[in-house]
Amino acid sequence: MRFIYVNLLAEFLLLASAQQISRDPGLYGPTLELVHLYNDEFPTGIAVSSTGRKFSNYPPALDPMNTRYTVAELNSNNTETLYPSAEINSPPGRSINYTTVPPSGANYPNYLISVQSVVIDPKDRLWILDTGRASTSNGMMVPSSPGGPKLVGVNLTDNSIFTTIPFPPTVAYPDSYLNDIRFDLRPHLTPSGLSIAYISDSSTEGRNGIITIDLGAVRPQQQPVPYVSGEAVYSIPGPGLPTSYISFGADGIALSADGKPSTGARSARGTCRGSPRPGYAIGRRSRRYWRRARL
């Protein structure tokens, strides 16, 4: 009996300790501060400049209710200002072209269609990554059209656009989903001496990958030449289900101190790996292949 009592006491103390650990006393670190309330559209990203300016993006691809704007600067009074202008956030006919069958993303290179990511680079410039895809009211994500998927650079000093880089449909496929972007500004990496951008494609519809660009040498009229090689990447869809191949690409991307990119899939079931070089797009094309295309 005494042995049972001791065991029960030990289990009780262990349980109490675990419960105590699981609680957040709210005493570690500085007190949390409310910075901004989103009262209108659903955001997926935020970027903060060196001077404290804050920007968010609101892709209609992930929320059909995001119809008023897709990039905004956050104000101190919990409001947003369309950025870099109201005009660029207002494509004629909005973000979906219903004159095509099936409907498709609007093909305006000078308007923002559906921005998935906003990032500040080390030079304190804002980069806007436009997927060119949007969702209908019933939640169907339409394919992109040439002119929709693009990368837009904004000078925060005067809020002017200094470059727009549209992606050809053989780099950003109609069913691609441009997700995240990082920059390596070391000048010796490219002939232009400007920088390299690494972009992840997280499409669940296949042909996803990593796109890398020499920002000083991009010519939108260039077309990639596809080449396949690589290895299979597997996943377990769920309990009791057979092993299959991962059906989505890398969601986020980060650069280490030496500039090497690292990507992560959106699930703990697997990761997508690659060794991109400047001027190449790399990714898993189908069940056993990686796509690699020169820009």
Side-chain angles (χ1 to χ4, degrees), residues 19 49 56 58 84 110 126 147 183 195 231 270 282:
Q19 290 176 338
S49 73
S56 275
Y58 317 80
N110 297 321
L126 178 68
F183 298 89
S195 63
E231 63 185 45
I282 303 177

Side-chain angles (χ1 to χ4, degrees), residues 71-85:
V71 176
E73 182 170 5
L74 309 184
N75 303 321
S76 58
N77 57 351
N78 296 326
T79 62
E80 290 95 36
T81 300
L82 280 64
Y83 193 86
S85 68

Side-chain angles (χ1 to χ4, degrees), residues 184 186 189 255-261:
D184 190 339
R186 292 177 294 173
L189 295 176
L255 294 182
S256 62
D258 59 7
K260 293 182 179 180

Side-chain angles (χ1 to χ4, degrees), residues 231-247:
E231 63 185 45
V233 181
Y234 301 94
S235 73
I236 300 176
L241 297 177
T243 300
S244 66
Y245 295 90
I246 287 180
S247 62

Side-chain angles (χ1 to χ4, degrees), residues 6-160:
V6 171
N7 276 351
L8 288 175
L9 178 61
E11 290 179 6
F12 173 78
L13 293 175
L14 180 62
L15 178 62
S17 176
Q19 290 176 338
Q20 184 177 7
I21 293 174
S22 66
R23 296 193 189 99
D24 180 5
L27 301 178
Y28 184 81
T31 303
L32 293 178
E33 176 187 358
L34 179 62
V35 176
H36 186 83
L37 287 174
Y38 294 94
N39 296 305
D40 192 2
E41 298 197 354
F42 167 73
T44 63
I46 185 169
V48 183
S49 73
S50 63
T51 60
R53 296 176 67 181
K54 295 174 285 292
F55 306 89
S56 275
N57 56 281
Y58 317 80
L62 301 185
D63 188 348
M65 301 301 292
N66 288 347
T67 58
R68 292 184 54 238
Y69 48 86
T70 188
V71 176
E73 182 170 5
L74 309 184
N75 303 321
S76 58
N77 57 351
N78 296 326
T79 62
E80 290 95 36
T81 300
L82 280 64
Y83 193 86
S85 68
E87 180 183 7
I88 197 174
N89 277 273
S90 306
R94 307 309 302 173
S95 56
I96 297 179
N97 180 6
Y98 286 99
T99 66
T100 62
V101 180
S104 58
N107 61 343
Y108 300 115
N110 297 321
Y111 293 89
L112 299 177
I113 308 303
S114 179
V115 174
Q116 172 62 29
S117 184
V118 287
V119 174
I120 303 287
D121 74 6
K123 290 186 176 180
D124 214 34
R125 302 174 296 185
L126 178 68
W127 292 89
I128 298 171
L129 185 59
D130 192 342
T131 70
R133 304 184 66 183
S135 290
T136 61
S137 57
N138 63 2
M140 181 188 75
M141 190 183 300
V142 302
S144 66
S145 299
K150 54 188 168 289
L151 180 62
V152 179
V154 182
N155 186 335
L156 295 181
T157 303
D158 56 9
N159 302 316
S160 64

